[in-house]
């Protein structure tokens, strides 16, 4: 085992960054991801704030660095089952999903063309359909098709296996196991949006026009379910008026007692790209405090100067439905006025909930994040493992954490 | 450079390439070239069998170069990477078969042209021989002995690297020396500053790898990564040190409160800054400067300077938390005190929300969303604050015994580096004085290779983040040292061994390379001749694009190689009515966008011929005139978005293309050609759906202006 070897759990932007930075500094790197592709939440995002630039741009350059590096091994569709040992000598046991599509895949698409099964595309949060065997998304790394175990008819169909000219498909593939020994381990296991079903007052699930903020990113994305045109999921008509409900779960002792740090900037960004689609579009943002960090301040300024966007200080007390359309009730604290308005769509700025694996050596703090001081020597954690973070902070921090693997 | 004389051409017919293109015809074209020793068509070139065969043939036929004609180089699997021979890709799959009509003569012509271009380029290129400075250094220089500098030194030493730490004051610790306690970091309970700092200084003292220079100024830095020479000066005299890379950690200064005229900081004794309050706290007592009495009502003014277009346009990130920390101290120390906090937004992101919530519970603390209109002096040097309260919608007046202005953080000057670089002493600041060049995706990168900014000089941030920054900057510094030793580039072309070679005999000292290099790679000799520093180079080729004498070239990317590609293909005459448009496509975002378009099988005009470039800033004017002389009807230059929110990986490459277009229009005029013959398009990577339309629109433009009159000349 190479002393300067590190296993990184989680292939989102934090994990990817740590992997390339560690490899280029001389480490042997294993990058483990449970999904079939790298990129995590970022791969699904339409734009980054405050530059409004596509996340694919940063992913492409990082994937290029992974492709060019002989020191990184990427293991997707894999989860850590067990972690043992001490600093300098950890053993990690992985459970590998069956490799129905192997590295011989050329992404030619012949399999998908003959696949008879259509299913809701989870990449787009079920807002569009895809085939049981399909490319997870255009830039997916590794660049190969993925077979959805839950919907594929397997033995009774076999059409894809027959159509593949490159021996890339094996429907009888079995789950596997693998043991890896490394000097240190870095957790970059990421986050998921707070479950809006807990927010009873916001009518979650009662109308497809009430979305959360990660779904909104797909709706706005050029490779999303509506090719980037922001349409009401209920009837496919263009949305003209959207409300953003900030702190949907966050800063609320009944839900998430902490601030999720990214939702303000995310909603500002979404309001900008929504209003840029049509001069008639209107966006209202209901907030408690507008929290944008550092140099993103001019991004807030840009929104304040945008005549199509209203910033309303006041937490939305209720989202209800009137003749199928969402209605928001809130108090505008600055004017003392009660607001009751109807919208085409409502976006709930749901907060960040950490995804922490239950492994040895990890203790949680009262908020459910990894307790930093309690981490054993040789283990470290980045991204949203300690607290909610935006991409810029995650990248900054995970690069810094690589130093642990070099010592 | 190892030249390419024995080339093997391997054509893949898989993934519908064989259905769309006559690959046997391609084979017969390839073997006509004298440089091509071998050409074969394989049904699946990425298969393990094909790899073994290729490997054998490289050895048996003593091939020095390979052309892989198959899928996009972005897709080519590891099995098609051969590091010991020069290799070029011909993109028949995403470039032709997937985007053009199968079996059509125009599709076949495109495939044949791309093959010819690939062969021409290969014949003019070779495997690069890297540039490695003589005996490269491995030490790291850290400028600034505050928390970021201290932590950088410790992290570097823990990783086994020697560190030279330079501090201008007589003790280490920087601003921490005047601070009372630390904001409890998320998840960390350590707030005792004295203990915190002492622990670090002890480790610093004990380390044999760290040399500390206190009371010392950095006089200059010259050289390049692996070979920096730093000159130091202190009371005892001058000294020198040789280092491989540099970390700038010279910190911040509080915004000058005298500039905040509405507060009258200089007029009132009892207005102090957050930093001054912290110093008082360190003495464990808060007393009014005017009379030394304990103040009973204290008003905090948040965003004193920050978030203000006339002062600091950004949010300083730490002032809200610092005030809450100070309020907690005061309330504990002086239970009778009353405190007002006048704020725009209380910003306590993440778990810091808990700190805010605790303070909110205290009924002696009043939060007022509003703005201070003016401050009046009362008897006794107390103050009357006139505040526009946004929540009540009225003007209120607060009588204060002491006012604390939460002045923001301003970065110190990166000129403190005193770089002896032709392009200036410091790091170019991209915005508001901060020197980082890609703050979302690659926050430690700057425009000076091997020099990384960390801590509050990089962006306004607190102690915890500064320490994380220190780790990040050390990682980057180590990467740079190790890459330089191998003769490889650092970000964004990590691992690239090619570098610009200058044929100095023909240099006219025009200095365009020196001026236009975004990374300040070029210095000048005393006579004013450009002096390249290859280890500073990021290999973008912008200097190659800038050079009117065409003397700057890379082993595997040269003026001659691209010109050969341009001239290598037959251009149909005007009566055939098959125009030819050449597209220079940036390989960072635009080229992948073409690949993504192909993945969707978007149709692209078969009259287009693409040449990937490292950056559109690397396009040399000669290529444009070569193409027009050869009879191409139009030229597209497709690259990343320029401007304030630039996406150019080399920062200024696409911006330069905008300014160079004047020159280009001049070229067109001298050739008596229409301005539309050359167009620049800025394309984002996710805009691949737009590509067919962009190309078709341009083809229409070309149709409107008619064929290039240079055809057949």
């Amino acid at each position: 085992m190479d002393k300067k070897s590190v296993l990184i759990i989680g292939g989102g932007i934090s994990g990817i960054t740590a992997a390339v930075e560690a490899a280029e500094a001389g480490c042997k790197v294993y990058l483990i991801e449970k999904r079939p592709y790298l990129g995590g939440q970022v791969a699904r995002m339409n734009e980054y704030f405050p530059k409004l630039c596509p996340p694919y741009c940063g992913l492409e350059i990082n994937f290029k660095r992974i492709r060019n590096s002989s020191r990184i091994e990427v293991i997707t569709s894999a989860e850590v089952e067990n972690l043992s040992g001490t600093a300098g000598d950890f053993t990690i046991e992985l459970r590998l999903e069956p490799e129905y599509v192997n590295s011989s895949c050329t992404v030619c698409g012949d399999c998908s063309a003959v696949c008879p099964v259509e299913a809701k595309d989870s990449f787009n949060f079920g807002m569009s359909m895809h085939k049981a065997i399909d490319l997870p998304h255009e830039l997916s790394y590794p660049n190969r098709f993925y077979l959805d175990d839950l919907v594929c008819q397997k033995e009774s169909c076999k059409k894809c296996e027959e159509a593949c000219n490159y021996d890339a498909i094996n429907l009888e593939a079995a789950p596997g196991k693998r043991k890896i020994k490394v000097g240190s381990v870095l957790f970059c296991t990421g986050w998921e949006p707070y479950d809006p079903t807990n927010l009873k007052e916001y009518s979650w699930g009662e109308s497809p026009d009430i979305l959360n903020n990660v779904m909104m990113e797909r709706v706005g994305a050029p490779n999303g379910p509506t090719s980037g045109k922001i349409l009401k999921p209920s009837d496919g008509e263009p949305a003209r008026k959207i409300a953003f409900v900030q702190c949907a779960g966050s800063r609320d002792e009944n839900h998430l007692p902490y601030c999720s740090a990214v939702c303000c900037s995310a909603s500002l960004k979404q309001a900008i790209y929504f209003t840029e689609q049509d001069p008639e579009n209107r966006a209202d943002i209901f907030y408690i405090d507008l929290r944008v960090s550092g140099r993103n301040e001019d991004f807030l300024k840009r929104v304040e100067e945008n005549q199509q966007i209203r910033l309303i200080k006041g937490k939305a007390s209720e989202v209800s439905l009137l003749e199928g359309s969402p209605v928001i009730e809130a108090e505008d604290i600055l004017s003392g006025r009660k607001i009751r308005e109807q919208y085409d769509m409502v976006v709930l700025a749901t907060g960040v909930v950490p995804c922490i694996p239950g492994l040895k050596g990890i203790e949680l703090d009262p908020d459910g994040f990894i307790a930093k001081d309690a981490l054993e020597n040789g283990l470290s954690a980045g991204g949203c493992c300690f607290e909610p973070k935006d991409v810029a902070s995650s990248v900054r921090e995970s690069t810094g954490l690589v130093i642990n693997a070099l010592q | 450079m190892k030249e390419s004389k024995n080339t093997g051409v391997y054509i893949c017919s898989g993934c519908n390439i064989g259905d769309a293109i006559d690959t046997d015809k391609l084979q017969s074209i390839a073997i006509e070239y004298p440089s091509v020793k071998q050409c074969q068509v394989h049904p699946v070139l990425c298969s393990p069998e094909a790899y073994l065969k290729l490997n054998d043939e490289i050895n048996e036929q003593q091939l020095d170069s390979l052309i892989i004609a198959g899928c996009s180089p972005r897709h080519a699997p590891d099995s098609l990477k051969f590091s010991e021979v020069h290799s070029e890709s011909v993109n028949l799959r995403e470039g032709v078969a997937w985007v053009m009509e199968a079996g059509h003569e125009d599709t076949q012509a495109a495939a044949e042209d791309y093959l010819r271009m690939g062969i021409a380029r290969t014949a003019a290129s070779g495997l690069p021989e890297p540039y490695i400075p003589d005996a490269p250094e491995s030490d790291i220089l850290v400028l600034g002995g505050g928390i970021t500098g201290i932590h950088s030194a410790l992290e570097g030493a823990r990783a086994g690297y020697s560190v030279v730490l330079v501090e201008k004051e007589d003790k280490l610790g920087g601003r921490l020396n005047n601070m009372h306690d630390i904001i409890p970091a998320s998840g960390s309970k350590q707030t005792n500053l004295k203990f915190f700092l002492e622990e670090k200084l002890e480790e610093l003292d004990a380390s044999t790898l760290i040399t500390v220079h206190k009371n010392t100024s950095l006089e200059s830095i010259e050289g390049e990564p692996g070979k920096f020479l730093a000159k130091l000066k202190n009371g005892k005299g001058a000294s020198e040190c040789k280092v491989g890379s540099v970390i700038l950690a010279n910190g911040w200064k509080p915004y000058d409160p005298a500039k905040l005229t509405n507060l009258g900081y200089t007029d009132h004794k009892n207005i102090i800054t957050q930093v001054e309050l912290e110093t008082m706290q360190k003495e464990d007592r808060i007393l009014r400067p005017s009379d030394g009495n304990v103040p009973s009502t204290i008003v905090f003014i948040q965003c004193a300077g920050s978030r203000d277009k006339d002062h600091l346009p950004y949010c300083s990130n730490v002032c809200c938390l610092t005030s809450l920390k100070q309020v907690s101290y005061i309330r504990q120390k002086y239970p009778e005190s009353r405190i007002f906090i006048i704020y725009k937004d209380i910003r306590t992101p993440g778990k810091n929300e808990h700190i805010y919530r605790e303070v909110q519970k205290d009924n002696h603390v009043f939060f007022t969303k509003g703005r201070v209109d003016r401050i009046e002096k009362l008897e006794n040097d107390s103050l009357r604050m006139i505040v526009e309260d946004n929540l009540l919608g009225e003007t209120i007046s607060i009588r204060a015994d002491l006012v604390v202005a939460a002045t923001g953080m301003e970065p110190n000057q990166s000129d403190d580096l005193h770089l002896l670089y032709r392009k200036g002493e410091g790091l170019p600041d991209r915005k508001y004085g901060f020197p980082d060049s890609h703050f979302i995706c690659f926050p430690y990168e700057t425009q000076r290779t091997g020099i990384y900014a960390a801590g509050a000089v990089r962006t306004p941030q607190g102690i915890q983040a500064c320490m994380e920054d220190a780790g990040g900057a050390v990682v980057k510094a180590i990467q740079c040292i190790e890459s330089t030793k191998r003769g490889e580039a650092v970000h964004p072309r990590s691992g690239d061994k090619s570098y610009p070679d200058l044929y100095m005999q023909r240099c006219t000292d025009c200095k365009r390379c020196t001026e236009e290099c975004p990374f300040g790679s070029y210095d000048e000799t005393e006579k004013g001749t450009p002096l390249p520093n290859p280890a500073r180079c990021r290999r973008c080729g912008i200097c190659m694009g800038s050079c009117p004498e065409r003397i700057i070239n890379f082993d595997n990317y040269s003026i001659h190689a691209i010109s050969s590609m341009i001239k290598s293909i037959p251009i149909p005459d005007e009566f055939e009515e098959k125009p030819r448009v050449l597209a220079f496509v940036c390989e960072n975002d635009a080229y992948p966008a073409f690949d993504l378009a192909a993945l969707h099988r978007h149709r692209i005009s078969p009259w287009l011929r693409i040449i990937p470039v490292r950056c559109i800033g690397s396009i040399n004017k000669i290529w444009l005139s070569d193409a027009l002389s050869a009879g191409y009807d139009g030229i597209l230059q497709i690259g990343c978005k320029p401007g304030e929110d630039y996406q150019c990986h080399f920062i200024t490459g696409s911006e330069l293309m905008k300014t160079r277009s004047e020159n280009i229009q001049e070229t067109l005029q001298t050739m008596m050609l229409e301005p539309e013959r050359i167009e620049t398009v800025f394309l984002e990577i996710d805009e691949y759906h737009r590509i067919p339309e962009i190309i078709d629109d341009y083809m229409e433009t070309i149709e409107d202006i008619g064929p290039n009159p240079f055809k057949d000349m």
Side-chain angles (χ1 to χ4, degrees):
Chain A
M1 184 193 71
D2 192 342
K3 186 181 152 266
K4 288 182 181 177
S5 56
V6 57
L7 183 129
I8 300 167
I9 309 174
I13 193 63
S14 296
I16 292 171
T17 299
V20 293
E21 299 297 353
E24 287 176 14
C27 282
K28 167 72 192 168
V29 178
Y30 300 90
L31 180 58
I32 314 299
E33 167 58 44
K34 68 169 190 264
R35 291 194 179 96
Y37 58 89
L38 299 182
Q41 296 284 3
V42 156
R44 288 161 139 169
M45 283 178 192
N46 174 29
E47 288 171 350
Y48 281 155
F49 58 77
K51 283 173 75 171
L52 301 178
C53 51
Y56 263 20
C57 169
L59 285 177
E60 167 69 16
I61 185 166
N62 278 319
F63 292 161
K64 192 172 177 179
R65 288 161 79 179
I66 292 177
R67 281 197 297 267
N68 289 342
S69 173
S70 54
R71 298 190 200 91
I72 305 175
E73 187 182 342
V74 175
I75 307 169
T76 48
S77 299
E79 279 193 83
V80 176
E81 267 194 333
N82 194 34
L83 166 70
S84 58
T86 51
D89 184 22
F90 286 108
T91 302
I92 292 97
E93 288 167 55
L94 298 179
R95 188 170 49 80
L96 310 171
E97 296 284 321
E99 193 178 46
Y100 296 114
V101 183
N102 62 42
S103 61
S104 298
C105 175
T106 68
V107 301
C108 72
D110 288 352
C111 54
S112 194
V114 297
C115 175
V117 181
E118 281 218 317
K120 283 188 172 176
D121 184 356
S122 60
F123 189 77
N124 284 334
F125 300 100
M127 293 183 286
S128 66
M129 304 296 279
H130 72 161
K131 292 292 184 72
I133 187 162
D134 217 326
L135 197 59
H137 67 104
E138 293 100 330
L139 206 73
S140 69
Y141 186 99
N143 202 219
R144 70 168 89 150
F145 277 58
Y146 168 70
L147 186 142
D148 186 347
D149 215 349
L150 297 172
V151 294
C152 174
Q153 299 167 353
K154 304 259 180 64
E155 295 306 299
S156 64
C157 171
K158 280 191 163 182
K159 287 201 171 77
C160 57
E161 209 175 55
E162 286 155 14
C164 180
N165 290 318
Y166 308 102
D167 292 330
I169 303 176
N170 172 17
L171 294 172
E172 286 160 21
K177 284 194 184 295
R178 187 167 164 189
K179 236 182 223 181
I180 296 173
K181 289 175 101 60
V182 286
S184 61
V185 177
L186 174 60
F187 296 95
C188 293
T189 42
W191 62 281
E192 57 189 14
Y194 184 63
D195 183 359
T197 46
N198 297 330
L199 303 164
K200 300 268 182 292
E201 63 278 23
Y202 291 158
S203 300
W204 181 257
E206 286 173 34
S207 160
D209 296 336
I210 303 173
L211 296 85
N212 66 10
N213 47 5
V214 286
M215 293 169 81
M216 183 63 188
E217 285 296 290
R218 295 312 303 147
V219 172
N223 64 347
T226 51
S227 302
K229 287 193 186 69
I230 298 174
L231 308 175
K232 286 158 64 186
S234 62
D235 58 10
E237 289 295 311
R240 290 281 168 244
K241 195 175 163 200
I242 297 183
F244 294 87
V245 175
Q246 297 311 109
C247 297
S250 303
R251 302 182 66 185
D252 184 334
E253 281 179 288
N254 298 319
H255 299 283
L256 306 175
Y258 51 86
C259 160
S260 292
V262 295
C263 335
C264 283
S265 295
S267 291
L268 297 177
K269 167 189 75 175
Q270 293 176 345
I272 290 178
Y273 67 63
F274 166 63
T275 51
E276 273 175 356
Q277 292 202 349
D278 192 300
E280 296 297 308
N281 286 357
R282 294 283 177 272
D284 288 350
I285 300 176
F286 294 89
Y287 71 93
I288 304 176
D289 290 284
L290 285 169
R291 291 182 171 172
V292 304
S293 66
R295 287 175 275 170
N296 292 359
E297 188 65 27
D298 47 12
F299 185 59
L300 172 59
K301 194 105 208 126
R302 181 172 164 187
V303 171
E304 284 170 344
E305 286 163 3
N306 185 325
Q307 298 299 311
Q308 293 168 260
I309 304 173
R310 278 197 301 175
L311 297 168
I312 302 165
K313 186 171 166 81
K315 192 174 174 180
S317 55
E318 189 185 271
V319 180
S320 56
L321 289 172
L322 181 68
E323 292 163 358
S325 295
V327 172
I328 286 193
E329 274 180 58
E331 189 191 339
D332 179 348
I333 294 178
L334 296 186
S335 70
R337 192 169 54 91
K338 287 254 185 261
I339 294 181
R340 186 182 152 80
E341 259 188 75
Q342 195 156 15
Y343 294 90
D344 294 332
M345 273 163 68
V346 165
V347 177
L348 304 180
T350 46
V352 168
V353 178
C355 305
I356 311 293
L359 291 170
K360 172 194 166 280
I362 296 184
E363 279 178 40
L364 301 186
D365 71 9
D367 292 325
F369 293 88
I370 292 181
K372 206 175 215 170
D373 290 353
L375 267 180
E376 273 179 32
N377 201 9
L379 306 179
S380 47
C384 291
C385 284
F386 286 136
E387 63 179 338
K389 276 193 193 72
D390 63 8
V391 171
S393 307
S394 298
V395 166
R396 187 185 62 71
E397 182 203 53
S398 55
T399 306
L401 288 167
V402 165
I403 193 71
N404 298 333
L406 293 171
Q407 294 169 347
Chain B
M1 170 177 96
K2 291 179 193 159
E3 284 182 16
S4 303
K5 285 174 184 146
N6 294 333
T7 304
V9 179
Y10 297 88
I11 302 167
C12 182
S13 64
C15 292
N16 304 109
I17 295 172
D19 307 333
I21 300 161
D22 179 351
T23 48
D24 291 340
K25 179 92 187 296
L26 294 185
Q27 191 181 17
S28 62
I29 289 171
I31 53 174
E32 281 172 19
Y33 284 84
S35 62
V36 174
K37 289 286 164 290
Q38 174 86 322
C39 177
Q40 289 189 353
V41 180
H42 197 286
V44 193
L45 205 49
C46 56
S47 65
E49 305 84 63
Y51 168 74
L52 291 174
K53 204 172 152 211
L54 240 72
N55 218 12
D56 286 349
E57 290 198 0
I58 291 172
N59 296 324
E60 280 166 22
Q61 308 275 337
Q62 296 189 314
L63 300 178
D64 55 25
S65 48
L66 282 184
I67 294 176
I68 305 292
C71 51
S72 160
R74 290 179 59 259
H75 189 81
D78 287 349
S79 66
L80 291 175
K81 285 181 195 158
F82 297 91
S83 56
E84 67 280 18
V85 292
H86 175 70
S87 145
E88 295 280 354
S89 296
V90 171
N91 186 351
L92 293 180
R93 191 176 78 161
E94 285 87 340
V96 182
W98 282 5
V99 292
M100 297 175 195
E101 190 186 333
H104 195 280
E105 60 173 29
D106 290 341
T107 306
Q108 182 67 22
E112 290 174 9
D113 282 359
Y114 280 128
L115 183 67
R116 290 178 198 281
M117 291 164 106
I119 295 170
R121 178 170 187 166
T122 306
S125 311
L127 199 62
E129 279 170 24
Y131 166 85
I132 303 172
D134 273 347
E137 305 288 340
S138 296
D139 296 2
I140 300 168
L141 173 75
V142 178
L143 178 61
I147 182 59
T148 310
I150 293 171
H151 206 68
S152 297
L154 293 176
E155 293 285 32
R158 287 173 196 154
Y161 288 80
S162 293
V163 182
V164 180
L165 178 61
V166 178
E167 166 58 47
K168 64 178 193 297
E169 304 288 337
D170 60 355
K171 65 176 180 177
L172 297 178
R175 298 211 165 264
L176 262 56
N177 287 317
N178 297 322
M179 283 172 66
H180 171 246
D181 57 0
I182 306 177
I183 301 162
S186 311
S188 167
K189 294 280 179 290
Q190 178 58 269
T191 61
N192 185 319
L193 187 70
K194 195 162 168 281
F195 180 71
F196 171 84
L197 191 56
E198 271 170 11
E199 200 180 47
K200 294 208 177 289
L201 294 177
E202 270 168 32
E203 192 187 338
L204 207 69
D205 282 342
S207 172
T208 52
L209 291 173
I210 302 172
T211 314
V212 180
H213 296 273
K214 284 183 259 191
N215 267 326
T216 301
S217 63
L218 174 64
E219 297 292 297
S220 66
I221 297 178
E222 60 194 281
E224 58 180 347
K227 273 287 176 205
F228 285 119
L229 176 68
K231 293 189 177 157
L232 310 175
K233 202 169 101 184
N234 60 21
K236 290 178 217 143
S239 61
E240 288 185 351
C241 64
K242 291 175 179 170
V243 295
S245 57
V246 178
I247 293 172
L248 173 71
N250 62 340
W252 62 284
K253 52 180 180 284
Y255 187 69
D256 179 5
K259 292 182 183 165
L260 304 164
T261 44
N262 64 326
L263 301 187
Y265 174 78
T266 44
D267 304 334
H268 305 298
K269 289 184 186 144
N270 290 330
I271 300 184
I272 60 171
T273 65
Q274 225 175 27
V275 175
E276 288 165 332
L277 179 69
E278 192 72 27
T279 315
M280 285 186 192
Q281 237 173 286
K282 206 170 173 240
E283 304 293 318
D284 201 18
R285 55 187 189 187
I286 308 291
L287 304 175
R288 286 173 18 124
S290 66
D291 52 17
N293 289 335
V294 172
S296 59
T297 302
I298 302 174
V299 179
F300 281 78
I301 304 171
Q302 297 307 114
C303 298
S306 302
R307 302 181 64 189
D308 185 333
K309 65 176 169 37
D310 298 325
H311 300 283
L312 302 175
Y314 50 86
C315 162
S316 294
N317 276 343
V318 297
C319 331
C320 281
L321 272 164
T322 303
S323 290
L324 292 173
K325 178 195 81 170
Q326 293 177 333
V327 167
S328 306
Y329 164 83
I330 296 169
R331 289 288 308 124
Q332 210 170 4
K333 176 90 185 166
Y334 305 107
E336 299 304 314
S337 59
R338 284 198 323 157
I339 292 175
F340 290 86
I341 300 174
I342 299 161
Y343 70 96
K344 288 183 189 167
D345 295 279
I346 294 290
R347 290 181 171 170
T348 49
K351 289 187 275 188
N352 294 320
E353 183 70 13
H354 296 304
I355 299 174
Y356 180 28
R357 189 174 293 122
E358 275 312 303
V359 178
Q360 276 179 305
K361 285 178 190 161
D362 184 339
N363 58 17
H364 278 232
V365 181
F366 305 92
F367 287 88
T368 303
K369 183 176 164 74
R371 119 169 220 284
V372 177
D373 183 56
R374 60 186 192 278
I375 297 178
E376 294 165 0
K377 191 183 262 181
L378 300 175
E379 77 288 356
N380 217 358
D381 282 318
S382 288
L383 300 155
R384 190 200 311 281
M385 321 273 302
I386 311 298
V387 179
E388 285 170 23
D389 186 319
N390 297 143
L391 297 184
L392 301 175
E394 58 192 39
T395 301
I396 59 167
S397 137
I398 306 166
R399 189 195 152 93
D401 301 317
L402 183 70
V403 174
V404 181
T407 49
M409 299 172 91
E410 236 186 317
N412 278 326
Q413 297 282 322
S414 67
D415 285 357
D416 290 354
L417 288 165
H418 298 300
L419 298 174
L420 298 179
Y421 280 28
R422 161 74 165 71
K423 290 288 283 287
E425 288 190 292
L427 307 171
D429 73 76
R430 300 307 310 176
K431 207 170 186 182
Y432 308 141
F434 297 104
D436 45 0
S437 58
H438 285 101
F439 74 95
I440 301 177
C441 292
F442 306 103
Y444 300 100
E445 299 298 340
T446 70
Q447 278 178 258
R448 294 294 175 262
T449 309
I451 303 175
Y452 302 97
V457 69
R458 194 185 64 74
T459 208
Q461 52 190 346
I463 292 170
Q464 185 61 34
C466 281
M467 293 199 297
E468 290 162 6
D469 253 33
V474 172
V475 168
K476 300 303 295 183
I478 292 173
Q479 267 179 17
C480 184
I481 287 167
E482 298 306 324
S483 300
T484 305
K485 284 184 194 165
R486 295 190 296 264
E488 293 177 355
V490 292
H491 173 92
R493 294 185 59 83
S494 327
D496 186 358
K497 287 193 169 75
S498 70
Y499 69 94
D501 189 22
L502 278 72
Y503 184 69
M504 293 309 299
Q505 285 93 323
R506 279 209 346 251
C507 176
T508 62
D509 301 344
C510 79
K511 300 183 182 61
R512 267 178 224 166
C513 53
T514 318
E515 279 302 321
E516 295 193 353
C517 172
F519 306 103
S521 291
Y522 291 89
D523 291 332
E524 266 172 36
T525 63
E526 280 171 14
K527 287 181 186 162
T529 305
L531 189 66
N533 293 278
R536 290 186 203 163
C537 172
R538 306 280 181 94
R539 283 76 160 164
C540 57
I542 287 175
C543 55
M544 180 170 91
S546 75
C547 182
E549 295 299 315
R550 307 182 291 282
I551 63 159
I552 307 178
N553 292 283
F554 297 76
D555 285 345
N556 55 3
Y557 184 52
S558 63
I559 304 277
H560 173 52
I562 306 295
S563 284
S564 310
M565 289 175 88
I566 294 168
K567 295 172 188 164
S568 67
I569 68 169
I571 303 289
D573 65 32
E574 62 178 291
F575 305 105
E576 288 181 62
E577 296 189 339
K578 291 182 191 299
R580 285 290 180 265
V581 166
L582 185 65
F584 293 105
V585 176
C586 170
E587 62 185 32
N588 295 300
D589 279 4
Y591 195 82
F594 272 81
D595 274 1
L596 300 185
L599 203 57
H600 287 275
R601 307 298 196 273
H602 289 333
R603 281 274 177 258
I604 289 176
S605 168
W607 295 333
L608 183 76
R609 299 292 177 267
I610 291 172
I611 294 181
V613 291
R614 292 185 181 183
C615 172
I616 59 167
S618 72
I619 299 172
N620 191 289
K621 216 167 73 172
I622 192 74
W623 297 341
L624 306 175
S625 46
D626 278 351
L628 294 168
S629 309
Y632 290 86
D633 300 283
I635 300 171
L636 285 169
Q637 315 184 99
I638 309 180
C640 306
K641 212 172 112 178
E644 194 182 340
D645 288 332
Y646 59 89
Q647 291 171 22
C648 177
H649 292 44
F650 304 102
I651 301 126
T652 54
S654 39
E655 196 69 45
L656 274 171
M657 187 40 75
K658 270 171 72 184
T659 52
R660 281 187 198 159
S661 56
E662 278 177 31
N663 275 335
I664 292 169
Q665 289 307 326
E666 233 169 73
T667 309
L668 287 170
Q669 273 171 15
T670 44
M671 295 177 84
M672 310 274 278
L673 288 171
E674 302 80 355
E676 294 89 345
R677 295 272 176 213
I678 302 175
E679 265 185 23
T680 305
V681 177
F682 299 113
L683 187 76
E684 296 184 65
I685 190 171
D686 65 350
E687 295 182 302
Y688 53 86
H689 290 300
R690 278 182 58 207
I691 291 176
E693 193 188 319
I694 290 170
I695 307 298
D696 290 346
D697 286 353
Y698 189 62
M699 289 295 172
E700 263 179 47
T701 306
I702 292 299
E703 204 174 314
D704 290 346
I705 57 175
N708 177 352
F710 283 95
K711 261 186 219 292
D712 299 324
M713 278 171 76

